[in-house]
Amino acid sequence: MKATEVGAVMTTEVVTAAYGTPLGDVVRRLAEHRVGGLPVTDDEGRVVGVICASDLTRPGAREAVTGPWRVRPRGPGRSPLRALSGGRARTAGGAMSAPAVTVRARSTVTEASCLMTTHGVERLPVVDEEERLVGIVTRRDLSRAVLRTDGAIDRAVRRYVLGTALWLTPRALAVGVENGVVTLTGQVERRSDVELAVDAASRIDGVVAVVDQLSYRVDDTRLPTATAPALGETGEPVPRR
């Protein structure tokens, strides 16, 4: 089963700001497009930071914002990657979080969700190999993609991991799922099957982590390998002594 990738759920039309964009213009863009944050890019489209509505509520940033706009902080907290220039930011570059936490389009939605949780952010700029912006993905985008009950994850594990990956019956192994954490218990034939099962389970949308409690009968990673016989000058095998 192929896990959903970020590229399949991201938004490609991204509202951005340049490093020198005045904070008043940033506020207008946030309000006009009804977004909670936007990437800050350089002249070549590379992401250098992210600025959110909560950044504009800090002392110094508030003083630089004038007009009838109201900005309210959003999200459970602020990123530890905060970097303010001085104490009186006037531009996007001065109030942004840097360096930006980014993700690639080929990353899975589960990997992106873990990044958001680890760094305490609500959105991730999506970049290519050159760190240029290609899209943005929010926690809401990921939630729509991976929203599954524990029961649905259990059924997916039995179907795709036990049935498709391991060619086992749905009840051949014990499967437990709690809050997206999958626990696999039981015995498989080969040690390589353990790695296969854990990898396949981790790729299922909605799976947060996989707990491996599997054992195996044969360690096929230590089986002896046949070596080719040494050849003499005539091309005939050299007898072993």
Side-chain angles (χ1 to χ4, degrees):
M1 181 181 183
K2 184 176 177 59
T4 303
E5 296 181 347
V6 170
V9 300
M10 70 181 185
T11 299
T12 56
E13 295 182 3
V14 188
V15 182
T16 65
Y19 189 92
T21 300
L23 289 186
D25 290 344
V26 172
V27 174
R28 289 191 194 92
R29 296 176 193 182
L30 293 174
E32 290 173 359
H33 297 276
R34 298 182 180 274
V35 293
L38 48 82
V40 181
T41 58
D42 63 14
D43 293 339
E44 297 182 356
R46 295 187 178 89
V47 178
V48 295
V50 175
I51 186 166
C52 303
S54 57
D55 297 321
L56 304 176
T57 64
R58 299 198 63 178
R62 281 198 300 263
E63 297 171 10
V65 178
T66 58
W69 311 287
R70 297 180 63 190
V71 181
R72 297 178 180 177
R74 296 178 59 182
R78 295 172 56 77
S79 168
L81 302 178
R82 180 72 52 218
L84 289 177
S85 299
R88 308 173 70 84
R90 299 286 176 177
T91 65
M96 70 183 184
S97 298
V101 182
T102 62
V103 70
R104 298 289 175 84
R106 296 299 301 274
S107 300
T108 67
V109 293
T110 300
E111 291 170 338
S113 180
C114 290
L115 270 177
M116 288 185 181
T117 300
T118 299
H119 294 282
V121 297
E122 295 296 311
R123 60 193 53 77
L124 294 172
V126 185
V127 298
D128 61 14
E129 292 75 11
E130 302 285 331
E131 298 300 321
R132 289 189 295 261
L133 183 70
V134 296
I136 195 166
V137 64
T138 66
R139 191 176 295 276
R140 180 177 297 180
D141 297 328
L142 300 182
S143 296
R144 286 196 292 261
V146 303
L147 191 59
R148 274 184 169 178
T149 64
D150 287 346
I153 293 175
D154 182 286
R155 291 188 292 273
V157 170
R158 295 184 186 280
R159 178 178 179 183
Y160 294 108
V161 179
L162 276 63
T164 302
L166 299 179
W167 288 69
L168 298 175
T169 63
R171 300 293 171 181
L173 300 175
V175 178
V177 185
E178 184 175 357
N179 296 325
V181 178
V182 175
T183 301
L184 299 175
T185 308
Q187 186 180 67
V188 293
E189 182 67 18
R190 297 173 295 273
R191 182 175 181 177
S192 59
D193 290 337
V194 175
E195 299 176 359
L196 179 62
V198 172
D199 180 68
S202 66
R203 293 177 178 273
I204 293 176
D205 290 343
V207 172
V208 176
V210 179
V211 179
D212 173 16
Q213 295 183 349
L214 296 171
S215 60
Y216 51 87
R217 288 186 61 255
V218 179
D219 186 353
D220 56 340
T221 65
R222 295 181 177 273
L223 293 178
T225 56
T227 57
L231 301 180
E233 295 181 359
T234 62
E236 296 294 328
V238 177
R240 294 184 178 180
R241 298 181 179 179

